[in-house]
Structures are given as structure tokens and as C-alpha cells.
Amino acid sequence: MNEARVGLGIDFHRFGPRGPLVLGGVHIPHDGGLLGHSDADVLVHAVCDALLGAAALGDLGLLFPDTDERYRGVSSLSLLADVVGRLAEGGWSVANVDASVVAAFPRLAPHFPAMRHALAPLLGVAEDRVGLKATTSEGMGALGRGEGIGAWAVALIRTAERGPGR
Ligand code: MG
């Protein structure tokens, strides 16, 4: 029987003094980048956790611990590819993802087409199944002061057409 599941992912990273700033797999011109063990792509991390959550496979911190030197400075797109592969092993494919990024700066909307172009092939979906939005917190709190960026994502997964045992 066909089955679908939904998952939620949330992530935050703090700005540091140096770049690059990588969001949705795209390098964005900005004075500083986000701090993290990997490339700190907060948007991709939220998407990964949404996918992992939908399949109840844990979370990024569990699968790719920041104490593991193999993941230092790694592109989060490679983590996303790994996550999608784990879902496929369980017989799951991605139906769609939708994410919102909360950032005081920089302006992200101009970069969304490039992000969707980068993410869709890894997710195995058409670009119109990758929803991306940006908003601010109206100056409130740490995100409002631009101390970092936060991302929220949801993902819908479904049983693959020829998944094992499904
Ligand atoms: Mg993260």
C-alpha cells in the first residue's frame, strides 16, 4: 500500500567573521559566513532533518557528528545526498520539500532559483517541488539582530514505486 509521511527540520547557525556564506548549496556574497563543523548550510541542514524525521531515521547530529573529522568543512549537499540515499534504502522517495529561512540579511530571494537548481536533483524531484521562502523576525531576538540565520523545513516522503518490500 502506498504510504506518505511528513517530517520537520529546524536549524540555526551563528555568523562568524569569515565567509563563505553557503545557503541551499549556493555561495552568497556576504561579509561573513556561518559558523559550523561542515559548511554550515543551515537551509540544507533543516531540509536534511525534515527528511530524516519523516523516515524516523534520527537527525544530522546523530548521523554526522561534529566530532567526526570526516565532516569538517564538508559540503552539506553531500550530506543531503547521503540522507536521500538512506531514505531510498528504506524504500522512500521525496514528494516535496518546503523551507523558510529567517535572516535579517542578506536578501535571499534572488538566489532561490540557483538553490532550487542545486537541491532538486539531489532530492530526485523537479524544481517546482522545492519551496523556498525568506523572512525576517522584524528585528526581534538574535535572528533579528543578524547574529545568525535560522531555517525551518518540512518534507513529504512517499513509498518509492519500486522500493524494497513495498
Ligand atoms: Mg546545522
Side-chain angles (χ1 to χ4, degrees), residues 10-13 35-38 40-46 49 60-61 76:
I10 300 172
D11 196 30
F12 304 90
H13 281 264
L35 297 173
H37 187 65
S38 65
D41 190 329
V42 65
L43 170 55
V44 170
H45 292 182
D49 268 0
L60 275 188
S76 296

Side-chain angles (χ1 to χ4, degrees), residues 104-121:
F105 49 76
R107 189 167 141 68
L108 299 178
H111 303 285
F112 284 160
M115 294 182 194
R116 296 167 83 194
H117 192 67
L119 297 177

Side-chain angles (χ1 to χ4, degrees), residues 51-138:
L51 293 167
L52 291 168
L57 288 175
D59 59 40
L60 275 188
L62 186 73
L63 299 180
F64 311 104
D66 62 9
T67 52
D68 192 327
E69 285 301 313
R70 284 178 298 171
Y71 305 122
R72 180 176 296 282
V74 71
S75 167
S76 296
L77 293 179
S78 67
L79 304 183
L80 177 60
D82 187 300
V83 165
V84 173
R86 287 168 191 255
L87 263 64
E89 284 172 19
W92 296 104
S93 63
V94 179
N96 77 300
V97 301
D98 182 33
S100 287
V101 180
V102 179
F105 49 76
R107 189 167 141 68
L108 299 178
H111 303 285
F112 284 160
M115 294 182 194
R116 296 167 83 194
H117 192 67
L119 297 177
L122 295 176
L123 293 164
V125 300
E127 292 182 22
D128 68 358
R129 290 172 180 263
V130 182
L132 297 175
K133 294 102 56 205
T135 188
T136 73
S137 65
E138 299 274 336

